[in-house]
Amino acid sequence: MRCPFCGFTDTSVKDSRTSEDSSSIRRRRICGECGSRFTTFERVQLRDLVVIKKSGTHVPFDRDKLAQSITTALHKRPVDMERVERVISSIVRQLETGGDQEISTRMIGEMVMQALISLDAVAYVRFASVYREFSEVSDFIEFISQIE
C-alpha cells in the first residue's frame, strides 16, 4: 500500500478490525519511510457493475461517488457516520447481489431516497431536490406535502 503522505510503497499494518456489519476490514497502517499513520478499508467486490446514465452512456459503478452523494445530502446533519457507512454498504450489497450487472441511475437514486428517508428527512429532501431536478420553490412545497 502506497503512503498517501510521501508515496513510499513499504507500509505495514499495525491493527486490523472488521466493521460492525462485517462488510469491510479497517486497517491501521504506518509508513516505513516517514512514519505517518493512516487507515485503509478492504471490501469484497462481488462483480463489476455498470451504471447506465440518463444520457445513455455506460460508466463503471463507483462506490465513492455513491458515498459522496449521500454524505453531501447529510452535510451538517446529526447522523452518525457508522450508520451512513452501513447504508452505503447495504445499497452496494443490494446492487451486487441483484440480477443485473447494468443498473440505471434511476434505480440507484430510488435506493438512495429509500435509505435517506429513514436516516434524515432534511437529507432526503436535499437529495430529492437534486435527483428530481427541482427548479422552483413550488417543487419543494409539492414534494414535502407528499411526504408529510
Side-chain angles (χ1 to χ4, degrees), residues 19-25 42-47 49 61-63 66 70 82-101 103 107-108 111:
S19 65
E20 194 172 291
D21 64 354
S22 298
S23 65
S24 63
I25 297 175
E42 284 183 25
R43 290 183 184 83
V44 172
Q45 182 174 337
L46 298 177
R47 60 187 170 150
L49 298 172
F61 175 76
D62 185 353
R63 184 185 198 283
L66 172 68
I70 292 172
E82 285 187 27
R83 284 185 67 201
V84 175
E85 184 58 37
R86 281 195 302 270
V87 163
I88 294 165
S89 294
S90 173
I91 291 171
V92 171
R93 195 174 317 112
Q94 288 175 51
L95 293 171
E96 288 180 338
T97 58
D100 299 326
Q101 188 169 354
I103 6 171
M107 178 188 221
I108 296 170
M111 292 174 83

Side-chain angles (χ1 to χ4, degrees), residues 1-19:
M1 175 66 58
R2 182 178 305 274
C3 174
F5 301 101
C6 71
F8 192 64
T9 56
D10 187 20
T11 60
S12 56
V13 175
K14 291 299 176 193
D15 181 44
S16 292
R17 295 182 187 173
T18 58
S19 65

Side-chain angles (χ1 to χ4, degrees), residues 39-143:
T39 303
T40 59
F41 291 90
E42 284 183 25
R43 290 183 184 83
V44 172
Q45 182 174 337
L46 298 177
R47 60 187 170 150
D48 291 332
L49 298 172
V50 176
V51 177
I52 305 168
K53 300 183 86 166
K54 288 180 186 176
S55 65
T57 59
H58 291 62
V59 295
F61 175 76
D62 185 353
R63 184 185 198 283
D64 292 336
K65 189 172 182 180
L66 172 68
Q68 181 63 41
S69 66
I70 292 172
T71 54
T72 298
L74 288 163
H75 182 68
K76 293 190 177 184
R77 299 299 302 153
V79 178
D80 183 44
M81 286 311 292
E82 285 187 27
R83 284 185 67 201
V84 175
E85 184 58 37
R86 281 195 302 270
V87 163
I88 294 165
S89 294
S90 173
I91 291 171
V92 171
R93 195 174 317 112
Q94 288 175 51
L95 293 171
E96 288 180 338
T97 58
D100 299 326
Q101 188 169 354
E102 292 185 345
I103 6 171
S104 68
T105 54
R106 182 172 190 218
M107 178 188 221
I108 296 170
E110 292 301 323
M111 292 174 83
V112 171
M113 295 270 291
Q114 287 298 318
L116 285 176
I117 198 163
S118 65
L119 277 179
D120 186 84
V122 172
Y124 174 69
V125 173
R126 283 179 181 169
F127 184 85
S129 71
V130 174
Y131 173 63
R132 297 206 174 144
E133 300 174 349
F134 292 179
S135 59
E136 298 179 12
V137 174
S138 61
D139 296 335
F140 283 93
I141 294 168
E142 181 182 333
F143 182 77

